Amino acid sequence: MELSALPPYILWLAFGVACLLAEMLIATGIGFLFAGLGALTAGSIVTAMPELDGVQQGVIFFATTALWTAFLWKPLKKFQRKSSGKGYRNMVGDTAFVGVSGLKKGTTGEATWSGTIMRAELAEGLDALPPGAQAQIVNVVGNTLILKPKP
């Protein structure tokens, strides 16, 4: 069966589902959510008004995508900020392992935390930590761990 033989609303609904799946599984945060909602809305409108031609359907798709974006942008951003909570502060107190170069006062090195290699620096008043040493995370500044020797 050729795609041209399918009713247009089926194509719009399939495109909407594909966009929503892409948002969930492949490219989160890109805007496929809004395009998917726009396509599903356009498919619903085309179902009710099958006499619309392709240009009209395209205009409906872009207009409904813009409406969904305008309607959901601020609430989703607010939810995103709210759900991020303390950021990386939940790492404070955990154990990290100093990278192969070690850490020296005034320089940035590496440490491994939870299987992830991250930037690391020494806490105030320390001179060095040897490679492989266990360290306690005392702060997180941006994406840099601030470490002290593990007690």
Side-chain angles (χ1 to χ4, degrees):
M1 180 178 220
E2 290 185 31
L3 287 178
S4 60
L6 291 173
Y9 72 90
I10 296 288
L11 297 175
W12 282 113
L13 296 175
F15 178 62
V17 169
C19 285
L20 293 176
L21 287 172
E23 178 72 31
M24 288 187 297
L25 303 173
I26 300 169
T28 59
I30 301 292
F32 283 116
L33 170 67
F34 304 123
L37 292 173
L40 291 174
T41 305
S44 299
I45 292 170
V46 171
T47 301
M49 302 171 66
E51 68 277 0
L52 296 172
D53 66 20
V55 172
Q56 292 169 324
Q57 292 175 26
V59 168
I60 289 170
F61 164 69
F62 286 112
T64 56
T65 299
L67 286 172
W68 279 113
T69 303
F71 183 69
L72 292 176
W73 185 263
K74 281 189 178 183
L76 287 174
K77 284 297 182 184
K78 185 177 180 182
F79 174 75
Q80 185 180 28
R81 282 191 299 270
K82 187 179 191 182
S83 66
S84 65
K86 299 188 303 183
Y88 298 112
R89 300 290 178 244
N90 62 331
M91 299 164 55
V92 173
D94 284 357
T95 300
F97 296 90
V98 177
V100 295
S101 322
L103 288 175
K104 296 174 184 69
K105 184 178 184 176
T107 64
T108 300
E110 293 180 340
T112 303
W113 172 79
S114 188
T116 304
I117 298 173
M118 301 183 71
R119 293 170 41 133
E121 294 178 0
L122 287 172
E124 289 290 322
L126 298 174
D127 292 325
L129 281 173
Q134 286 190 15
Q136 183 176 9
I137 302 170
V138 294
N139 196 7
V140 182
V141 178
N143 63 351
T144 303
L145 305 177
I146 309 300
L147 303 176
K148 73 174 186 178
K150 182 116 174 130

